[in-house]
Amino acid sequence: MQIFNIVIAGVGGQGVLMASKVLAESALASGLDVKQNEVHGMAQRGGSVISFVRIGDQVSSPVVMPGSADLLISFEPLEALRYIHYLKPGGRLVYNKVSINPSTVAAGLAVYPQDVEEQIAVACAEAQGIEALAIAREAGNGKAVNMVMVGKVMKHLPLKEEIITEVVKKISQNKGLEVNMKALAGGAAA
Amino acid sequence: MKKIISGNEAIALGFGDSGGVFASGYPGTPSTETLEEVARLGDVYCEWAPNEKVALESVIGGSIAGGRSLSTMKHVGVNVAADALLTLTYTGVNAGLILMVSDDPGMHSSQNEQDSRNYAKFAKVPMLDPSDSQEAYDMVRIGFEISEQFDTPLMLRTTTRISHAKGVVVQQEKIAPKIEAWEKNVPKYVMLPNFGKLKHIEVEARLLKLQEYAETTPLNRIEMRDTEIGIITSGVAYQHVREANPNASILKLGMIHPLPARKIAEFAGSVKRLVIAEEMDAIFEEQIRAMGIEVEIGKNKLPLCGEFSADIIRTAINDTPAETTSPVEGLPQRPPVFCPSCAHRGLFTILSKLKVFVSGDIGCYTLGALPPMNAMHSVIDMGASISAAHGMAKVNAIAGRAEKPVAVIGDSTFFHSGMTGLMSMAYNGGNALVIIMDNRTTGMTGGQENPGTGVTLQGVPARQVEMVPLVKALGIDNVVEYDAYDLKATEAAIKKGLETPGPYVLIDKNPCILRYKIRKPAIKVDQENCTGCRACLKVACMALGLTATGEDKQKVRVDPNVCNGCGVCAQMCKFDAMHAIEGENNANL
Ligand code: SF4
Ligand code: SF4
Ligand code: SF4
């Protein structure tokens, strides 16, 4: 198969890395080659985070080049816009509609653009926003936004939904299992 | 069994599977997870050292005592450990010894972009450079074999895109650790000049033997494809080259020091255009040009600074810019900030207000340099906050300036190399205010244990170093604890420290919110009382924000999904508009 490039973006602390892990493990469980990469530097919450997952028969570079992503998953609208140029023409974007202020905005040094969603719609015809935080809360924990997002994109991946569900089951700790399963299903239905 | 793991995890696993006995390191991005993963193996001993020199020296002891040993650190850590390394190369090893060093091209989380390959040349030791997780795993085993066969320490080098990128790894059969005899051997391990002189001759001879090994090892392989272009490359650059130009012939170097001169000449002779694709310094290129080999594309076209990508390589080889889409312009940046409710926020709110010169250090608190705080004015290396502040105070005194400098440092950095600077300040009659943010962890790299944590890397309860007696023992009489969450008290404490002549140390003991998972109820802004004066925004917390434009006057709101209730912003409010919401905390970050 042709290489399928995924970019996952969000804010430090939102669980971007766990979502990346689920996709990478699912690719491995499907017998495909996969490279996953993110730059995690400083530990603090609140910085912009970007992660790459590349799936195919044989994958060399761990880095997705701008203009070549099949799918961009963003956990925050402004981050969707920040990395939208990673999409290839016709690429798909799924984003969480709940915004988080960058520190620059919080300090009154910059303004959060009011028209982020309009800009997204103009830049990408295949864009869809969901209320991932509400769905995660309904599933039992606001932190499960990442699983909601994975659930939402499942049907757009070159991977079987059952395999992804199995992987989430495997890596969920006891308490989180039920929440994650609900979040996955909630995302898929959104 | 196949696994998908990062380069760091692969090295840890390789260590466990290759008879590894003892590992020691100091946290530093992107190397940190390696030792954490060794700890997770469960059956191999490992520990955090207070700094990289101690880590490497401990591992030298481990090797002398007969156990295969591993030391892990980031590139700048090798500067700290270099004193040990440059003589370790003379003594050689007993059991195999690997020094894993992680470079950070692109400076994702580092203060410089130094290329550790220089250290392999400098120390005259072999260096391996994996291109993916599988190679990282395999090279630990081969590395130990080389180390033992040639009686040399070996450097295993990664870069951020190897350390943190995950790829598929197939494990080899596990070798059980076997401990060599612990023997006295004065001419080998005591580097008095007479013994050292003999050892230097051996080191030079060893390098020639290693070069012969490099000629034949499968670590260095020629992949012949189209002979129009031949590319010499290593590490993650190999992957970018494969992506950019799948038909090019490649000499892939896995062992990057010493270089296989004959193999390089053979490869260069079999292709029309020779390209050298190496990230950062021109280390291959300089050596290859010195061999009299003509290089068409090297650092004349490829950057010395920053990371490579497939696009960068394509552009250099094809001499046309790669087609690429550009990002949306004008978006607000999202730089890292102190976590919501981190104690550093209180301190920097006051330092920013007082407009003092702050000599800073390496840690989360370095973010105090960014707007709107703008309250850190020099950051050099681990521990420099205190020693540099000392020098500033000395010159200020000579210049007749009244201002007293302030040094800010965290506990882990203080244990690493701040202590010696403070001792010097006490001894040499210094005059600076030193603020130690003792949050009982190594915060910036993700909350690792340190001598103040009370527990070791492997979870064993440990002796906890107490900051106040330690500082007093170094010769400081004025040592005062303060609470950075209390802005008034913090301001008063800093002013007192600045007014009192001589060295003065303030210690905040609030724990790291992230590491110790501290949760408090969120703050809410009473929109009736809020005047929109924006005083609270000065604390630079991402939970704060202005209400939508278009309203008469923008007021402040707090994002209950992000706020963690430290109350620092509320202390800035003169209009009684900020209050804690009783009940459960919602913070999702
Ligand atoms: S990781 Fe800890 S020390 Fe660093 S900003 Fe967050 S709370 Fe503060
Ligand atoms: S909004 Fe205020 S109370 Fe909440 S975490 Fe930020 S500074 Fe602390
Ligand atoms: S300091 Fe108080 S009054 Fe001023 S903007 Fe903040 S909440 Fe409103």
Side-chain angles (χ1 to χ4, degrees), chain B residues 464-544:
Chain B
Q464 201 167 8
V465 175
E466 289 299 333
M467 202 56 91
V468 173
L470 172 62
V471 168
K472 285 196 169 151
L474 293 172
I476 306 292
D477 295 327
N478 288 315
V479 189
V480 178
E481 289 183 24
Y482 80 106
D483 177 5
Y485 287 120
D486 184 336
L487 294 183
K488 278 209 183 88
T490 300
E491 183 167 347
I494 292 175
K495 282 184 171 158
K496 177 97 193 291
L498 289 172
E499 282 155 14
T500 313
Y504 196 101
V505 175
L506 284 174
I507 300 172
D508 170 82
K509 292 178 79 166
N510 287 296
C512 167
I513 294 296
L514 197 59
R515 147 101 202 194
Y516 294 99
K517 300 193 167 57
I518 295 161
R519 291 276 174 266
K520 289 183 201 156
I523 291 269
K524 195 172 163 43
V525 180
D526 182 340
Q527 297 292 322
E528 291 290 300
N529 286 4
C530 177
T531 64
C533 74
R534 301 191 182 195
C536 55
L537 297 187
K538 290 196 183 133
V539 308
C541 178
M542 58 184 283
L544 299 167

Side-chain angles (χ1 to χ4, degrees), chain B residues 2-18:
Chain B
K2 276 188 181 179
K3 291 185 169 177
I4 165 130
I5 54 177
S6 70
N8 285 349
E9 290 171 276
I11 289 169
L13 198 63
F15 183 62
D17 288 351
S18 304

Side-chain angles (χ1 to χ4, degrees), chain B residues 339-341 345 522-523 539 541-544 558 562-570 578:
Chain B
C339 299
S341 85
R345 177 167 288 107
I523 291 269
V539 308
C541 178
M542 58 184 283
L544 299 167
V558 170
V562 179
C563 172
N564 196 24
C566 67
V568 165
C569 57
M578 299 179 118

Side-chain angles (χ1 to χ4, degrees), chain B residues 343-344 346-348 350-351 354 356-361 365 375-376 385-386 389 405-411 414 422 425 432-438 467 471 480-484 490-491 493-495 497-498 504-509:
Chain B
H344 297 339
L347 170 65
F348 281 95
I350 298 303
L351 288 174
L354 296 179
V356 282
F357 191 106
V358 178
S359 169
D361 225 302
Y365 41 86
M376 190 167 280
S385 59
I386 298 177
V406 178
V408 174
I409 188 168
D411 51 337
F414 185 70
L422 189 60
M425 188 186 290
L433 169 60
V434 176
I435 302 176
I436 304 175
M437 297 303 284
D438 183 14
M467 202 56 91
V471 168
V480 178
E481 289 183 24
Y482 80 106
D483 177 5
T490 300
E491 183 167 347
I494 292 175
K495 282 184 171 158
L498 289 172
Y504 196 101
V505 175
L506 284 174
I507 300 172
D508 170 82
K509 292 178 79 166

